[in-house]
Amino acid sequence: MTDAAAPRLRVLAAMSGGVDSAVAAARAAEAGHDVTGVHLALSENPKSFRTGARGCCTIEDSHDARRAADVIGIPFYVWDLAERFREDVVEDFIAEYEAGRTPNPCLRCNEKIKFAALLDKALALGFDAVCTGHYAKVILREDGARELHRAADMAKDQSYVLGVLDDRQLAHAMFPLGDTPTTKAEIREEAARRGLFVAKKPDSHDICFIADGDTQGFLAKRLGTAEGAIVDESGEVLGSHDGAYGFTIGQRKGLRLGRPAADGKPRYVLDISPVNNTVTVGPADSLDVTALTAIRPRWCGRPPASGPAVYTAQLRAHGGETEVSAEVVDDSLHVAFAEPVRGVAPGQAIVLYDGTRVVGSATIATTVRRPAAAPAPQAG
């Protein structure tokens, strides 16, 4: 849908109330498409889902989206998807942490809400595509297949959180901001030229349904407190915690250990066991991951060829790329890293790339760590 000669489409523009989605809707309308704006009401109590610049789920945001639609000159509606959002995103987020995993709610929202619930409703109403303000590109090949690629501006690329989209969803996805190397400052300037007063509105940050950014506090209110032990790799108890769900692999701060390590170096969370409510900590070297297995792979367009192949992989929304060898075995993705990586946690998504093309995404299930170096012999 990046072809300038593409036919006029009926487009449903998801408008969060921010500058990116407003400019995306304006560009789609300017391209000659029949655009209708829609704001997704995702909170059962909208005032509770945002403080300052956090999130995108308040009544204020719906008003901002409506005003932007008025300026663009397109119809506008608010659709209530709060119950679906709670079930598919919020409850999934809580359950994953309770199980000792580290989920990415933005991927789940794109998969289950924006390009499942929203897209299904849009298609049922006769729309051809859903337009969002994501920075990514959908490229139509000569053979009719569609591919998801990184945005032209790598600094703004959001293809990682779109790696869950399948071939059917890509066929109805439109990302007007991903085609040109446009900086955020230029997007704001464009919004101002178009008369969109959201031009100066701060970006949303953090998890939209955690108003104050306190993930541990949010989880504690829903899961309660459960005191457990913090141990080292030998099993020696070093301290205690109020709930293993409050930790993530690679975490350094907030461990509240009773005494420093013998070598004086900082310790990091290495493992979280919900079964015995234990958090294991150790040195940074013990975080080195050499391989992993990921489950529930979703392919953006054509699946990878059989057998191992070399790709690059991204492990976080704002992380860099690393070279890997990957192979699908019995519906699981087996990945080996060319160089060890750190901070890899079960529940996170790994997204594979072939150049700028997104191959697909899978959920990390298990990791293989590099054996810790043997301690130096004592002089004697």
Side-chain angles (χ1 to χ4, degrees):
M1 295 186 182
T2 59
D3 186 354
R8 187 172 188 262
L9 304 175
R10 288 195 68 204
V11 175
L12 188 69
M15 303 181 70
S16 67
V19 63
D20 290 331
S21 60
V23 171
R27 287 187 178 184
E30 188 175 64
H33 299 301
D34 179 8
V35 180
T36 297
V38 62
H39 178 80
L40 304 183
L42 302 180
S43 171
E44 293 168 341
N45 181 14
K47 292 183 180 179
S48 70
F49 271 18
R50 184 165 172 254
T51 300
R54 298 182 186 276
C56 53
C57 303
T58 66
I59 294 174
E60 174 194 16
D61 292 315
S62 67
H63 292 337
D64 290 346
R66 181 180 297 279
R67 286 190 285 266
D70 289 343
V71 171
I72 298 168
I74 58 176
F76 178 83
Y77 300 91
V78 175
W79 286 359
D80 184 359
L81 294 178
E83 182 176 355
R84 180 75 180 265
F85 183 78
R86 176 180 55 79
E87 293 175 353
D88 289 343
V89 180
V90 179
E91 291 185 0
D92 174 81
F93 178 85
I94 296 169
E96 286 292 286
Y97 265 103
E98 187 176 21
R101 296 184 288 267
T102 305
N104 186 313
C106 293
L107 272 84
R108 195 65 60 238
C109 183
N110 285 325
E111 176 188 356
K112 298 291 187 178
I113 304 300
K114 294 177 182 174
F115 292 95
L118 175 63
L119 178 58
D120 289 346
K121 188 171 183 178
L123 294 177
L125 292 173
F127 288 93
D128 302 301
V130 166
C131 163
T132 73
H134 287 100
Y135 289 79
K137 293 191 294 185
V138 176
I139 293 178
L140 180 63
R141 300 187 345 175
E142 291 184 359
D143 62 2
R146 286 176 172 81
E147 297 177 343
L148 179 65
H149 283 251
R150 289 193 182 277
D153 180 7
M154 283 291 293
K156 292 296 296 177
D157 176 63
Q158 293 176 302
S159 59
Y160 174 85
V161 297
L162 297 169
V164 291
L165 303 188
D166 61 23
D167 188 59
R168 170 182 171 273
Q169 292 166 332
L170 284 181
H172 301 285
M174 180 181 290
F175 306 119
L177 304 188
D179 293 334
T180 56
T182 308
T183 67
K184 190 55 176 277
E186 290 169 330
I187 288 292
R188 292 189 181 282
E189 291 173 3
E190 179 179 340
R193 290 196 305 272
R194 293 181 180 276
L196 300 170
F197 81 100
V198 291
K200 295 182 179 180
K201 186 175 181 178
D203 290 342
S204 59
H205 296 287
D206 304 306
I207 300 169
C208 70
F209 53 85
I210 301 180
D212 57 4
D214 180 8
T215 300
Q216 188 167 354
F218 173 86
L219 292 169
K221 290 178 181 178
R222 285 150 182 83
L223 298 175
T225 58
E227 186 173 349
I230 300 177
V231 303
D232 63 15
E233 292 174 282
S234 70
E236 181 180 357
V237 177
L238 303 176
S240 64
H241 61 77
D242 296 325
Y245 55 77
F247 297 85
T248 58
I249 302 295
Q251 178 178 334
R252 174 185 174 185
K253 297 181 179 180
L255 300 183
R256 298 180 300 173
L257 301 180
R259 60 184 183 277
D263 59 8
K265 294 182 179 179
R267 285 174 288 203
Y268 300 79
V269 174
L270 304 180
D271 185 59
I272 302 162
S273 176
V275 176
N276 57 16
N277 197 28
T278 299
V279 175
T280 302
V281 299
D285 289 350
S286 295
L287 286 170
D288 287 346
V289 170
T290 59
L292 61 80
T293 299
I295 57 176
R296 298 191 297 273
R298 291 175 62 89
W299 308 118
C300 292
R302 65 184 187 279
S306 60
V310 175
Y311 303 98
T312 57
Q314 187 170 330
L315 299 163
R316 300 175 189 81
H318 304 292
E321 291 180 287
T322 184
E323 184 177 316
V324 300
S325 173
E327 180 180 13
V328 179
V329 180
D330 296 330
D331 294 325
S332 294
L333 182 66
H334 293 244
V335 177
F337 294 96
E339 296 290 339
V341 295
R342 290 182 179 176
V344 182
Q348 290 177 329
I350 178 170
V351 176
L352 298 182
Y353 292 84
D354 182 5
T356 63
R357 181 177 73 86
V358 181
V359 178
S361 172
T363 301
I364 298 171
T366 59
T367 61
V368 177
R369 293 206 175 109
R370 182 168 62 180
Q378 298 290 328

